[in-house]
Amino acid sequence: MLRSILFVIMIVLSNTKATPIETKIIKTKSNLFDPILSSNKYIGHIQENERIVEIKPRLYASDADPLNSPNGQICGYELSLYKHDDIVNEILQNIPFVVELINEKPIIQLKTNINKLDCEIKQSYRLFIRAYDCANNNERRYSERSSLIITIDDINEFAPIFTHQNYLFKLHQDHNCLSCRVEATDDDCSNIDHRVCDYQIQTPNVPFSIDSNGSISIITPLMNNTYEFDVVAIDCYSSSLFKDTRKISEPAKVTIKIIKSCKPTIADDYPTKLTIQADHTHIFDTVHVDTCDETCAVENIIGTVTFDSNGIDSGCNLEQCSSINREYVLIPKDIDYNQAPQSRYMSFDGINQVSIIHKTDFSGQLKNDFTIRMWMKHTDEENDGKEHIFCKTDEKLQNRHHTALFIQDGYLKLLIRKGPLSINDKNVYKSEWMWKLTQINDDQWHSYKLFINYPNQIDLYIDDKLFTITNDNFKVIEDFALPVINGTEDTIFTVGACWHARASQMAQHFHGELSGLSIEQKEELPDSISCIQDCQQYLDMPDIQVQSNMEFISNSNRSIWKIRSDSSELYEDLLKHIVYRNTFDPIGPSGQRTVSIQTTLKCLGENYTYNLPTFIRRLSIDEPIRPTNIELKGDTSFFVSEQTINQGINLFKNLSIYADAIKNDQVDISDCSINTSPDLTNNEQIIIPDDNFHINNLQKDLTQTGLILAGLGSIDSYQYVLQHIAYTSKSPVQYNDRTFSLVCVGSHDQTSTNEIRIRIHIEKQIVPSAPFAAVLSNKLFVDNDQTRDNLFDLGESAPSAKNLSGNKTILYQ
């Protein structure tokens, strides 16, 4: 600016020298200088709800041209999106601001056609500003452009919003709430990451706290099964002027469900002992299986139900049952089997030669343990197809291979498919064993022996030498079990090819020579099978509808059942269908058997299984019991003083219980009842000895009308307890006579005994002595030798100290 002023002065001085003073005329060049802005960079701020931008530093411009001329005055300011003038077609309408001169001061404000700014849409504007003087358009001069950044300052418009209106957390009992977290976001533009600064629980008196991250913690022990409470989120907006400007969200509901510790169990609320009275008895009707549904989605549940007769005759005549090793020769062999065949062998041309094995010669049923022996001579003729040595397939409708031994592509392969099963089994099983052999294509005789223990182990011997397997020469392939398909119950067993029922022809023929082909396995004799099927005690599952997600199968004598399902409900239903059969006439023999359930559970997504506790049901067949008559005998009337009653008397001291059995201890009593007339008052107590109660499992129930003793016990046990029952009363008594009646019930046929009535006539006294037993009022348990020793013994001629029972006395009122 200083340079511009000096330049003007020099011009003026030079003009002055050239012109006489009296005729001097000042001639200046029009609008020589550009306006100059006060800064090359400006920062502006405007709140969303305001219209004027605050600028720093202060915005103004100056011009070196004379102030008294339009050229030296600033007439306005211009905003642009770009710094340089060479950018044409500048879109000014995208700039929401305009610079107005108010009292000759530049003010940047919103255009009149714009209502308000929204920083959530655009948070800042990068502009350029320049000033221009008041010269005419052709002579107007502009300043250099300075940068102008206007930031839209946010106002707290939005309250936080939760990502969910309802949160459900399942918390295992005694575990921390590590995953219990809620989340809310805030959409105000000043909050770039939409964060929330605080969370609060609104519901009072809950055993939880919440931190600023929304994580919920347990602060006191949890007592309930479910908790529900509301939480709110608070945003991060803070103002030094207004402390209440922070916004709070609408509440979200949090539910925390406590999952109690659970272990899979199988249980029954009823006694495990079941008395068998009929041939056909459902034995697991009340069994309940708990697989902890809240923590375990059942994938597989398998049970083994085992019947154990405990040595009692099951009617199977097992001593007549036996088994033998049976060899099925499918192709004859030479006398010396250890040498290569000389004359006895069969040739197969690979086209149409085949041998069908009739079911009378071999059923095709293979056990888990069997042996395959053969001599084979074969040449590779570049045939990639299967060449079957033997094959078992569906006889009708399907081409399914059940069992097969064949050659393919240099491999000797053994196929054993599991099934058919009556369920849609999704498991896979070892199904095909493959040995890569050089011997099978060398056109030489070789001996092959396969020792099968399905599905665990299969050993191959070639020329009596064990074949050593490696990863390169041995493979095992797994496959699904064969399902049951209606119409495919029958199978066909062939040698030298395979029967394909759908094409009604043989296929996959063998080309070579075979000799001494045989299958050997242990089998039961026919009569042993019949005796097993004729067992008179066994478990059965009649009248059950087969479903795709269940499986049940038994051993030969139906003493063991395997059941499987994919839900605890269906597993329970399978158990409820199991019945105990006893075809002896009459039902017998007497004694106790056991049926056990061993259950294994696999939960979905877990690699291990749970073994549930073994459940045992005891089955009892009792001997026929003839009715037993039980008779009560004892004193029936007593005359006693009030003083004696205050001390207490034994009611049934002379009681005797008889039964018309050979020995009294062979007869049991189920309960005895003592009824009083009139009802007992608060001034009276019945004292009952505690001895022998726990040993004999007797229960006591005292009411105002008397006493009931219950529980299976011998005559001697009940007689002992009844003889030591005592009665006391505070004085003065309100009546002269009291009656006690006693009746017992036999346990076997629930026949009641005769009734004994004891009448006590009380002799009134004018001044009754203070009863010692009065101090015992309102007490349930008494352990006081002095109280027992002062009970009056009606068996003596005069009151005397008599110990009622051993150690402890129970007092009822």
Side-chain angles (χ1 to χ4, degrees), residues 552-588:
F552 51 93
I553 189 171
S554 74
N555 64 347
S556 57
N557 64 358
R558 288 177 284 182
S559 63
I560 300 175
W561 283 82
K562 290 276 190 180
I563 60 176
R564 190 202 69 81
S565 180
D566 58 5
S567 73
S568 59
E569 293 81 6
L570 194 54
Y571 183 74
E572 276 188 23
D573 188 57
L574 286 169
L575 290 175
K576 287 178 170 58
H577 276 85
I578 295 178
V579 297
Y580 166 71
R581 296 296 310 275
N582 188 306
T583 59
F584 285 103
D585 188 16
I587 295 292

Side-chain angles (χ1 to χ4, degrees), residues 306-312 314 539 559 592-596:
T306 304
F307 169 69
D308 184 359
S309 64
N310 293 334
I312 300 173
S314 295
L539 301 180
S559 63
Q592 184 168 282
R593 302 103 167 116
T594 58
V595 182
S596 62

Side-chain angles (χ1 to χ4, degrees), residues 156 158-162 182-188 191 193-202 210-214 230-239 242-252:
N156 200 13
F158 300 98
I161 298 176
F162 280 98
V182 298
E183 183 182 7
T185 59
D186 187 291
D187 288 335
D188 285 305
N191 196 349
D193 55 2
H194 300 282
R195 64 191 180 94
V196 170
C197 282
D198 197 13
Y199 295 87
Q200 291 181 2
I201 296 177
Q202 284 194 321
I210 190 169
D211 62 17
S212 59
N213 293 320
D230 292 336
V231 295
V232 295
I234 303 174
D235 65 15
C236 298
Y237 187 82
S238 61
S239 172
F242 305 101
K243 294 183 178 180
D244 58 348
T245 56
R246 299 177 69 183
K247 288 188 177 292
I248 301 176
S249 71
E250 292 293 323

Side-chain angles (χ1 to χ4, degrees), residues 255-394:
T255 301
I256 296 182
K257 188 174 183 180
I258 310 303
I259 302 174
K260 294 186 177 180
S261 298
C262 179
K263 292 183 178 180
T265 59
I266 177 171
D268 190 352
D269 295 335
Y270 291 86
T272 57
K273 182 178 178 181
L274 180 64
T275 301
I276 302 299
Q277 297 176 339
D279 165 34
H280 192 280
T281 306
H282 289 268
I283 55 178
F284 297 126
D285 272 351
T286 56
V287 167
H288 174 66
V289 180
D290 183 3
T291 56
C292 302
D293 293 341
E294 293 182 335
T295 57
C296 174
V298 176
E299 178 180 339
N300 211 20
I301 180 168
I302 301 173
T304 302
V305 184
T306 304
F307 169 69
D308 184 359
S309 64
N310 293 334
I312 300 173
D313 181 19
S314 295
C316 295
N317 300 318
L318 294 179
E319 67 277 3
Q320 298 179 7
C321 301
S322 60
S323 60
I324 62 171
N325 286 328
R326 173 161 288 176
E327 182 182 26
Y328 297 94
V329 179
L330 307 179
I331 296 179
K333 59 185 177 181
D334 283 341
I335 296 175
D336 188 357
Y337 188 80
N338 295 322
Q339 298 295 325
Q342 300 298 319
S343 59
R344 304 197 68 178
Y345 59 87
M346 289 185 63
S347 295
F348 296 86
D349 60 8
I351 300 174
N352 53 24
Q353 287 180 305
V354 65
S355 175
I356 300 175
I357 307 301
H358 296 286
K359 289 183 173 59
T360 55
D361 297 326
F362 177 49
S363 66
Q365 297 296 324
L366 295 173
K367 307 297 182 182
N368 288 339
D369 293 292
F370 64 97
T371 302
I372 301 173
R373 293 183 176 90
M374 68 176 180
W375 283 86
M376 181 177 68
K377 182 180 179 182
H378 181 264
T379 301
D380 183 18
E381 296 181 353
E382 298 182 357
N383 180 13
D384 294 334
K386 296 179 180 179
E387 296 182 51
H388 276 85
I389 298 167
F390 65 74
C391 180
K392 175 185 173 183
T393 55
D394 296 318

Side-chain angles (χ1 to χ4, degrees), residues 689-704:
D690 191 34
D691 292 24
N692 224 29
F693 267 76
H694 297 298
I695 298 175
N696 292 280
N697 197 30
L698 301 183
Q699 304 293 326
K700 305 166 286 291
D701 185 14
L702 180 65
T703 66
Q704 291 296 110

Side-chain angles (χ1 to χ4, degrees), residues 482-505:
L482 293 171
V484 170
I485 299 177
N486 292 333
T488 62
E489 294 81 5
D490 296 327
T491 58
I492 185 169
F493 196 97
T494 55
V495 175
C498 248
W499 171 253
H500 284 186
R502 282 187 298 189
S504 297
Q505 66 181 14

